[in-house]
Amino acid sequence: MDNWKATFGGKPVTLVGTHLAVGDRAPHFEVIDRNLQTVSSNQFKDKTMIISVFPSVDTSVCALQNIRFNREAARMDDDVAILSISVDLPFAQKRFCAAEHLDNVHVYSDHRDLDFGMKYGFVIRELRLLGRGVVVVDKKGMIRHIEYVADIGQEPDYEAALRAVRDLR
């Protein structure tokens, strides 16, 4: 297990789990949907995945990140799926998605097992939240872009992630 530092609210935190890089095989993971059903990443194996990772729907930066990716998803082809993952309870995610009219992204919770967070290295040890970042996985299951945002209070580099998707065409 790898450990590395980031900041959250100006304070240092430790991200734990497997630190991945471009060219690595994307690990399979399971999360929970808004109806408390288990969802496997294998359900998206024939699609390019943009995985948007964030701490909580109840923060302004996380809301902006989800709204931005929801808008981008409306412009994407059907062979691209955008997954938004946090450890928020599915009930909070459902409320947030309804309030913000998010219907183009798949919003999932990693609350139960931290399966995604540990396999992708996004777990904030001190808070049991996920850090912020973006992962692009191609249809063959290879990571083509990954960003671990060092200052979790900042938005990710949307353009770099979207460019990685365009480059797969």
Side-chain angles (χ1 to χ4, degrees), residues 32-97:
I32 300 170
D33 70 13
R34 291 178 269 174
N35 297 312
L36 303 176
Q37 299 300 307
T38 300
V39 174
S40 166
S41 60
N42 288 340
Q43 291 176 240
F44 301 97
K45 66 181 169 118
D46 296 326
K47 295 182 180 271
T48 297
M49 287 190 294
I50 300 173
I51 306 171
S52 170
V53 189
F54 60 98
S56 175
V57 295
D58 291 320
T59 67
S60 60
V61 176
C62 297
L64 290 171
Q65 183 174 340
N66 278 281
I67 291 165
R68 171 71 186 265
F69 275 120
N70 187 67
R71 189 172 63 242
E72 295 296 341
R75 300 179 191 141
M76 300 273 175
D77 294 333
D78 288 342
D79 65 341
V80 178
I82 300 181
L83 287 60
S84 287
I85 302 177
S86 71
V87 295
D88 289 300
L89 292 175
F91 315 108
Q93 292 176 335
K94 192 173 193 175
R95 172 191 44 78
F96 174 77
C97 290

